[in-house]
Amino acid sequence: MKDTQHAGAISQFKIRIEEKTHTGADGTHLTAIRDLTLDLEPESMTVLMGPSGCGKTTLLRIVAGLDDDFAGEIDMPPHARLGFMFQEPRLLPWRTVRQNIELVAAPGFSEQDLKKLAEAVGIVEMLTRYPQELSLGLARRAALARAFSTEPDLLLLDEPFVSLDERTADRLRRLLLEVWSARPTTAVMVTHNPREALQLADRLVVMAPRPTHVLAVETIDVPQAERDAAMIEALHTDLSKRFPANFAGM
Amino acid sequence: MTTAEIQPRTRSQPTWYMRGPWISTISVAAFLVVWFVAAGVAQSRLLPGPGEVLDYVIQESLHGDLIFQLGITLWRVVAAFFVAMVVGSVIGLLMGEYPAVNRVLDPWLILLLNVPALVIIILAYVWFGLNEAAAIGAVALNKIPNVVVTLREGARALDPGLDEMARAYRMSAWSKLRNVTMPQLQPYFATASRTGLSLIWKIVLVVELLGRPNGVGFELHLNFQLFNVTAILGYTLAFVAVMLAIEYLLVQPFERYTTRWRNKPV
């Protein structure tokens, strides 16, 4: 076991997974990840793109510490704070939006901070409501606010805009970028939507089919705010040619 | 309350007789009338009318020991209830959470579910003597398998997604229990206590009848030997009134409070 600690103000995250195998209820083994190495660039948005079922969600769960049944190691600062946006909002239905956020917020998270965050994601009016009274789009905003309320060292996003209509999803992506740019955070996002990936990523990680590993890391140097539709299309066309399994036909 | 704002929009206004307690009141009044008429026709001390029974309850409360006997029985109900809820919940949650525990305890659970209450009571008295602990223990033991079954279902229905959320956000064990686990189990606790109270007070009467020198069950036994039907009905009605008060003044307000986040009324 090697255990490297990194000095310095900015948190380092290094992911090395030799193997991750799922055991099914009937005893069959399924290798989800093999020989995956990924260093996260601090304060940048890393987007994982891969065919569905390739083990992206498994990877996020391992990084979040929700699954420690794997061979390898995750090198991250002790007591790193996490923000996690799941595929579903996963708010507590019996707590108001405000309580949902305050329950997990960082120590010292003030009323002022809450107000600012709620304003940024547009849920000020919803703070006293229960999650059942919110639309899926609004619940996702609340989940986004909750993820940032922990003032995370690492932000994990597991297809957070799936099953929204394209307009709502697009608005939420821009919201995410705004909140994220205001407080740059090391972030990992999983998606199977190539345009979403190209719109948000600083670094685009192309994943292999199961058992997954890193095929390539593409760096996109243009700041997210300056990317227009034409540029995203050009990037998409280029990547479709080079990685047809991941990008073609989407 | 936000729920109050939502309801008028989602539900249509009911007709006047569906609002308020009209139908329930008429239903109870009709029963009293039938009872009154039947007692008038029978003219027997084996079927006293509602007036006589009410009079008995008032006289016994003021001058007899009805209040004392009710109190004794109520204390036994409460004690057995808490023992059963605590022990049953812990076992049920463990069985729901850990399949191995479930394997070990499941045959015993099925056995206990099927042993008649009377057998448990008799054995408890025979083995542990005619004392308060044996009485309350026997009642609790009759209720425990019920609580176990309900809470085991509750533990199995816990949402793994919310559990992951709590772990990802590093919630403390206490915060997770209070904010994530207990609210999910609330309907199961409510069901277990609802069915629990009514079952327990019926069994407490049997326990008192068989081996206690006081309580409603003891009085029923005494008055059965005297064929005093007025007293039997009086004691029954008085205790039913106590249980109704508990239901409406404690159980239901508590349930409304814990389910206030739901969009539908309880």
Side-chain angles (χ1 to χ4, degrees):
Chain A
M1 263 268 290
K2 78 181 181 94
D3 196 355
T4 340
Q5 286 300 332
H6 298 265
I10 293 168
S11 308
Q12 293 280 340
F13 295 90
K14 289 172 181 288
I15 303 164
R16 313 239 176 296
I17 298 171
E18 281 143 40
E19 191 172 277
K20 164 66 197 174
T21 303
H22 290 294
T23 306
D26 54 353
T28 52
H29 297 286
L30 193 73
T31 304
I33 303 172
R34 183 171 291 145
D35 294 329
L36 183 145
T37 304
L38 182 63
D39 294 348
L40 301 180
E41 198 85 7
E43 301 193 356
S44 80
M45 177 80 75
T46 303
V47 176
L48 310 180
M49 266 295 292
S52 61
C54 80
K56 301 177 298 253
T57 297
T58 306
L59 177 59
L60 275 199
R61 295 183 73 252
I62 288 176
V63 173
L66 298 175
D67 184 346
D68 52 14
D69 180 24
F70 68 98
E73 66 171 324
I74 307 296
D75 190 6
M76 63 160 93
H79 312 299
R81 296 191 63 85
L82 291 189
F84 204 135
M85 244 186 116
F86 301 90
Q87 283 179 26
E88 325 79 46
R90 294 198 193 174
L91 300 165
L92 300 171
W94 38 83
R95 296 287 183 262
T96 60
V97 171
R98 165 191 287 273
Q99 290 168 327
N100 263 287
I101 295 171
E102 286 175 342
L103 263 175
V104 300
F109 187 77
S110 68
E111 184 62 34
Q112 202 62 36
D113 296 329
L114 176 70
K115 223 180 128 225
K116 241 168 67 187
L117 191 55
E119 257 164 28
V121 301
I123 54 162
V124 177
E125 256 89 89
M126 304 297 149
L127 284 177
T128 56
R129 301 265 183 142
Y130 288 98
Q132 285 194 344
E133 302 171 67
L134 309 183
S135 65
L136 182 59
L138 280 172
R140 288 260 165 81
R141 288 173 190 236
L144 180 63
R146 177 176 65 181
F148 275 97
S149 75
T150 64
E151 290 164 12
D153 301 304
L154 179 64
L155 179 67
L156 300 170
L157 305 146
D158 185 6
E159 303 201 35
F161 308 125
V162 77
S163 65
L164 289 172
D165 62 87
E166 197 39 48
R167 274 187 54 213
T168 312
D170 199 52
R171 207 173 320 140
L172 277 174
R173 269 175 224 133
R174 256 174 283 160
L175 268 181
L176 167 67
L177 274 183
E178 267 169 45
V179 182
W180 179 71
S181 313
R183 187 187 177 286
T185 305
T186 311
V188 183
M189 174 162 160
V190 158
T191 182
H192 63 248
N193 176 342
R195 286 173 188 85
E196 175 171 285
L198 293 166
Q199 190 185 345
L200 297 179
D202 291 311
R203 296 203 319 152
L204 190 63
V205 178
V206 185
M207 315 268 289
R210 198 171 49 219
T212 199
H213 52 92
V214 175
L215 276 184
V217 179
E218 298 285 319
T219 305
I220 307 176
D221 286 325
V222 184
Q224 284 89 344
E226 291 165 28
R227 294 175 200 169
D228 56 15
M231 181 189 164
I232 286 171
E233 280 316 307
L235 282 168
H236 185 210
T237 312
D238 172 48
L239 287 165
S240 305
K241 276 185 210 135
R242 289 160 56 207
F243 306 102
N246 292 57
F247 288 91
M250 283 195 256
Chain B
M1 280 279 286
T2 36
T3 41
E5 296 163 18
I6 299 280
Q7 276 164 33
R9 266 188 282 133
T10 52
R11 332 182 87 224
S12 59
Q13 280 293 318
T15 35
W16 67 269
Y17 55 84
M18 289 299 284
R19 272 176 283 162
W22 296 111
I23 291 185
S24 314
T25 311
I26 292 169
S27 170
V28 173
F31 166 74
L32 288 175
V33 169
V34 170
W35 181 6
F36 184 79
V37 171
V41 172
Q43 285 298 337
S44 158
R45 58 182 277 272
L46 297 186
L47 182 54
E52 272 172 84
V53 172
L54 184 66
D55 191 48
Y56 175 85
V57 170
I58 293 170
Q59 287 307 316
E60 277 294 300
S61 317
L62 295 177
H63 309 297
D65 50 4
L66 183 131
I67 301 291
F68 167 74
Q69 306 291 12
L70 282 187
I72 288 280
T73 298
L74 189 60
W75 128 254
R76 288 185 185 127
V77 168
V78 170
F81 175 78
F82 275 106
V83 172
M85 285 302 286
V86 170
V87 176
S89 301
V90 171
I91 296 175
L93 292 178
L94 287 175
M95 285 176 80
E97 199 75 27
Y98 304 103
V101 178
N102 189 46
R103 283 278 176 85
V104 174
L105 295 182
D106 199 46
W108 302 104
L109 178 63
I110 293 167
L111 180 86
L112 263 184
L113 274 169
N114 288 289
V115 174
L118 201 51
V119 173
I120 294 180
I121 295 165
I122 292 171
L123 289 180
Y125 277 149
V126 169
W127 287 336
F128 303 107
L130 292 171
N131 55 52
E132 205 63 37
I136 288 169
V139 178
L141 200 54
N142 272 297
K143 172 59 189 165
I144 284 171
N146 244 292
V147 182
V148 170
V149 170
T150 311
L151 268 294
R152 179 173 63 179
E153 285 316 306
R156 285 173 179 168
L158 287 174
D159 181 354
L162 291 181
D163 180 70
E164 279 198 342
M165 186 279 293
R167 284 163 59 211
Y169 281 100
R170 311 289 189 253
M171 285 171 87
S172 67
W174 168 242
S175 171
K176 188 179 155 195
L177 182 73
R178 220 174 77 79
N179 298 297
V180 183
T181 312
M182 289 309 259
Q184 291 186 73
L185 294 175
Q186 189 277 335
Y188 297 89
F189 280 118
T191 308
S193 34
R194 270 278 171 71
T195 54
L197 276 177
S198 51
L199 180 72
I200 280 176
W201 100 265
K202 289 171 195 171
I203 299 175
V204 164
L205 294 200
V206 180
V207 168
E208 289 175 342
L209 185 145
L210 285 177
R212 296 280 72 211
N214 48 29
V216 177
F218 169 79
E219 285 291 330
L220 289 180
H221 187 47
L222 192 70
N223 286 296
F224 167 56
Q225 285 163 337
L226 303 172
F227 262 53
N228 184 350
V229 180
T230 311
I232 291 176
L233 288 178
Y235 266 99
T236 310
L237 286 184
F239 205 79
V240 166
V242 171
M243 298 306 283
L244 281 179
I246 292 176
E247 170 79 19
Y248 285 110
L249 301 179
L250 287 176
V251 177
Q252 289 198 6
F254 180 71
E255 223 172 286
R256 268 196 298 278
Y257 173 75
T258 50
T259 56
R260 64 199 179 284
W261 54 275
R262 288 209 177 103
N263 268 346
K264 50 179 186 290
V266 182

